[in-house]
Each structure stands twice: as C-alpha cells, then as structure tokens.
Amino acid sequence: MALTWQCICIDCVDPSSLGHWWATFLGWRVTHETENEVVLEPPEGSPQDGVSPDILFLKVPEEKVVKNRLHMDLRPDDQAAEVARAEALGATRVDIGQGEHTWTVMADPAGNEFCILRAFTAAELDAD
C-alpha cells in the first residue's frame, strides 16, 4: 500500500486563533499560516518530528454544532496536570455521555472534543 498519513484537518471559523491555541497546548510549531489555514508540526528535531501527522486548521463559515466524529486522544505523563493546564489555557471539561472512565473529555476553545488519557503505568511502560 502506498499511503502515508499526512495530516489531520480541523474545520474552524478562526484558524489562526485555534491553531495557535493548539500550538501552545501541544508545544508544537506553526509552519504555515494564511487567513484560511494554519499548519502545526511537532517541534523540530523532536522524536515526533517527521513521524506524527501535521494538524491543519481550515477556515469554514460555520461554528461547530454537534459532537466530533473524530477526535484526538492525548497520553500525558501526568493527567491531572495536563487537564489543569488545558483548562488554564481555555479548554473546558465536557460531558458527552462517557460516564466514569480513566480519561477526561475536554473541548478546545472552538468546542472540538479531545481526550486526555491517564498516564501509562510502570508495568505498561516496561511491557514495551
């Protein structure tokens, strides 16, 4: 098969604002920006550079209305610290009917859901 996953695209009303929010939250870099799109890539020289798909924010005229059909799951070293940091940057916790789980469902400032998972346990890290 000759396919490579290049990027994940997120529609939004304000690509600059949302793209820069995610760049700050993830610690990624903006590598391209116009009025209609913003591209994020992992930090240059990091283990994710050239491996993780880019994130592309695309301008659309309408606000987000319903639950995402696709979302990001982020694996932190410290879940509580990352949830608190996301909230300090303007994310909110959301209830999409997930019930009690080990992850926290959040929404970015444009309302796009994402999950902050629990950290791997020592046993899970040693299993690799």
Side-chain angles (χ1 to χ4, degrees):
M1 184 177 292
L3 294 175
T4 301
W5 184 2
Q6 179 64 43
C7 64
I8 185 167
C9 300
I10 300 174
D11 290 348
C12 54
V13 173
D14 185 353
S16 181
S17 176
L18 193 59
H20 284 272
W21 186 89
W22 275 100
T24 298
F25 182 57
L26 294 173
W28 284 27
R29 60 195 163 114
V30 175
T31 57
H32 175 77
E33 183 169 4
T34 68
E35 179 182 339
N36 294 318
E37 64 184 32
V38 171
V39 177
L40 301 186
E41 295 182 46
E44 192 168 11
S46 72
Q48 297 88 7
D49 190 18
V51 177
S52 292
D54 301 347
I55 304 173
L56 174 59
F57 297 87
L58 297 167
K59 185 176 184 75
V60 296
E62 68 278 352
E63 297 280 345
K64 179 186 172 294
V65 179
V66 298
K67 178 182 172 287
N68 296 3
R69 298 297 296 257
L70 176 71
H71 68 271
M72 289 187 273
D73 284 353
L74 304 170
R75 178 79 63 182
D77 292 332
D78 182 335
Q79 183 185 40
E82 291 303 326
V83 168
R85 193 170 69 81
E87 289 176 320
L89 290 170
T92 55
R93 295 177 194 230
V94 293
D95 182 354
I96 56 169
Q98 68 268 21
E100 290 294 320
H101 290 285
T102 60
W103 60 87
T104 301
V105 181
M106 310 287 296
D108 69 19
N112 300 298
E113 296 91 8
F114 63 98
C115 294
I116 299 180
L117 308 175
R118 65 169 174 76
F120 282 126
T121 65
E124 289 170 323
L125 290 172
D126 289 341
D128 292 339

